[in-house]
């Protein structure tokens, strides 16, 4: 090989080496970030598992004020919750969410005092991308508003609100046929909600409008009817303007602005 040939190849080799080094650096960075994310997610899962195992006991039975054990709207799952300790851990604690059709959705709820306060902060205050299950700053923390809203991340490991994604997968239309109820447990009462609609939307859609009047309520229901992926059950009545509770999570790629909402209506209070 002559000197000219060697000098022509040297820049190519240098550029090739630089590209390889950059790719190695990128792969290494991505690997570190994936490891960091997985570590955060595992830490969040462990935290909530510990809270659940320590302060909440779920019975296999159902009961009601009349001590019935059937699956009518007069019954509810029995949870023994240590409210006082949960208040001590986080003064923003307002209740416990339990969705039996998705057993993983079994979490404490906090009321945010500022927008996105708990988006990346867990129940005990640790910084974590998994965040917390939190009520919107404009909603009624006593669950008495015309329309209240709760948020949770759509986690790949199905924690938080991650398991809700199965509702919009083809063939899962009857997933809630046997148990379409969501329960909120507070220190003073137990609230029972029934799922009546769900659909994908965007973060700036009418789904997130405040509902302050009966006129707003009627318009909101019309919007839900037009967008729901399922028919609203005929035996669900909105005549007396019962409180609505919406569960909201992300849908699709991060940053896309896509959302998935599950609308429920209060059917009983114990």
């Amino acid at each position: 090989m002559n000197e000219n040939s060697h000098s022509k190849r040297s820049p190519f080799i240098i550029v090739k080496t630089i590209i390889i080094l950059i790719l190695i650096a990128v792969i290494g960075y991505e690997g570190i970030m994936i490891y960091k994310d997985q570590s955060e997610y595992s830490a969040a899962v462990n935290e909530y598992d510990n809270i659940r195992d320590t302060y909440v006991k779920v019975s296999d039975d159902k009961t009601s004020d009349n001590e019935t054990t059937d699956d009518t709207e007069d019954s509810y799952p029995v949870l023994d919750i240590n409210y006082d300790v949960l208040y001590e851990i986080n003064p923003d604690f307002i209740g416990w969410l339990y969705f039996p059709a998705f057993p993983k959705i079994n979490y404490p709820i906090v009321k945010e005092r500022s927008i996105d306060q708990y988006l990346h902060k867990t129940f005990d205050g640790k910084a974590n991308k998994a965040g917390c299950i939190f009520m919107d700053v404009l909603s009624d923390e006593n669950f008495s508003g015309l329309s209240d809203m709760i948020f949770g991340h759509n986690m790949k490991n199905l924690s938080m609100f991650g398991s809700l994604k199965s509702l919009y997968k083809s063939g899962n239309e009857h997933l809630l046929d046997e148990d379409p109820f969501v329960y909120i447990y507070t220190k003073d009462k137990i609230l029972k909600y029934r799922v009546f609609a769900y659909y994908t939307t965007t973060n700036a859609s009418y789904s997130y409008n405040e509902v302050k009047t009966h006129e707003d309520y009627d318009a909101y229901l019309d919007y839900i009817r037009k967008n729901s992926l399922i028919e609203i059950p005929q035996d669900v009545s909105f005549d007396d303007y019962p409180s609505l509770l919406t569960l909201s999570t992300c849908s699709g790629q991060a940053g896309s602005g896509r959302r998935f909402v599950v609308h429920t209506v209060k059917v009983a209070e114990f």
Side-chain angles (χ1 to χ4, degrees), residues 8-266:
K8 289 180 180 179
R9 293 189 62 186
S10 293
F12 172 76
I13 293 173
I14 292 173
V15 171
K16 183 178 179 181
T17 301
I18 291 174
I19 292 174
I20 291 173
L21 291 174
I22 291 174
L23 290 175
I24 291 173
V26 169
I27 292 171
Y29 174 79
E30 291 296 329
I32 292 172
M33 295 307 295
I34 291 173
Y35 174 78
K36 182 180 178 182
D37 286 347
Q38 292 303 318
S39 296
E40 280 196 14
Y41 298 158
S42 295
V45 168
N46 291 336
E47 176 186 325
Y48 289 114
D49 283 349
N50 181 63
I51 290 173
R52 192 179 303 113
D53 294 342
T54 306
Y55 305 116
V56 180
K57 305 299 180 186
V58 181
S59 171
D60 292 332
D61 297 328
K62 286 192 175 184
T63 189
S64 74
D65 291 339
N66 296 320
E67 298 300 320
T68 60
T69 56
D70 56 25
D71 292 326
T72 67
E73 290 189 355
D74 292 328
S75 65
Y76 58 88
V78 178
L79 269 62
D80 181 14
I81 302 172
N82 193 329
Y83 295 99
D84 292 335
V85 174
L86 292 172
Y87 284 124
E88 288 179 8
I89 295 173
N90 191 327
D92 291 332
F93 171 68
I94 58 171
W96 193 272
L97 171 67
Y98 183 41
F99 196 164
F102 301 97
K104 286 181 177 290
I105 302 181
N106 188 14
Y107 290 102
I109 311 165
V110 295
K111 177 67 161 65
E112 64 174 7
R113 308 302 170 181
S114 58
I115 296 176
D116 293 341
Q117 176 186 356
Y118 284 97
L119 192 63
H120 296 135
K121 183 166 68 172
T122 63
F123 184 73
D124 70 357
K126 292 186 178 70
N128 193 299
K129 291 182 179 179
C132 202
I133 301 298
F134 63 93
M135 176 179 274
D136 179 67
V137 68
L138 298 176
S139 294
D140 186 336
E141 64 184 75
N142 295 311
F143 299 92
S144 298
L146 286 174
S147 179
D148 299 317
M149 185 162 292
I150 293 176
F151 296 92
H153 283 299
N154 179 4
M155 304 298 290
K156 291 182 180 179
N157 61 7
L158 303 184
S159 63
M160 310 310 285
F161 280 171
S163 54
L164 289 179
K165 65 170 68 77
S166 60
L167 281 175
Y168 55 82
K169 290 183 178 179
S170 178
N172 285 347
E173 295 82 4
H174 304 292
L175 193 59
L176 297 176
D177 283 356
E178 291 187 11
D179 194 348
F181 300 107
V182 176
Y183 302 87
I184 302 292
Y185 298 78
T186 73
K187 193 170 185 178
D188 302 318
K189 57 190 176 182
I190 299 169
L191 306 171
K192 186 170 187 174
Y193 296 83
R194 179 174 178 178
V195 175
F196 68 91
Y198 53 79
Y199 53 89
T200 55
T201 185
T202 62
N203 58 2
S205 75
Y206 194 76
S207 303
Y208 298 95
N209 271 29
E210 278 192 87
V211 178
K212 296 181 177 179
T213 67
H214 288 173
E215 290 75 15
D216 293 340
Y217 189 104
D218 292 335
Y220 194 64
L221 279 180
D222 286 342
Y223 178 84
I224 292 172
R225 287 191 180 96
K226 292 174 182 177
N227 288 275
S228 181
L229 296 176
I230 58 172
E231 293 290 332
I232 295 179
Q234 294 183 356
D235 59 340
V236 174
S237 174
F238 302 97
D239 293 343
D240 296 326
Y241 297 94
S243 294
L244 305 179
L245 179 66
T246 300
L247 311 182
S248 173
T249 191
C250 294
S251 177
Q253 295 183 343
S256 67
R258 297 291 296 171
R259 298 291 183 267
F260 181 67
V261 292
V262 177
H263 294 292
T264 74
V265 57
K266 189 185 296 182

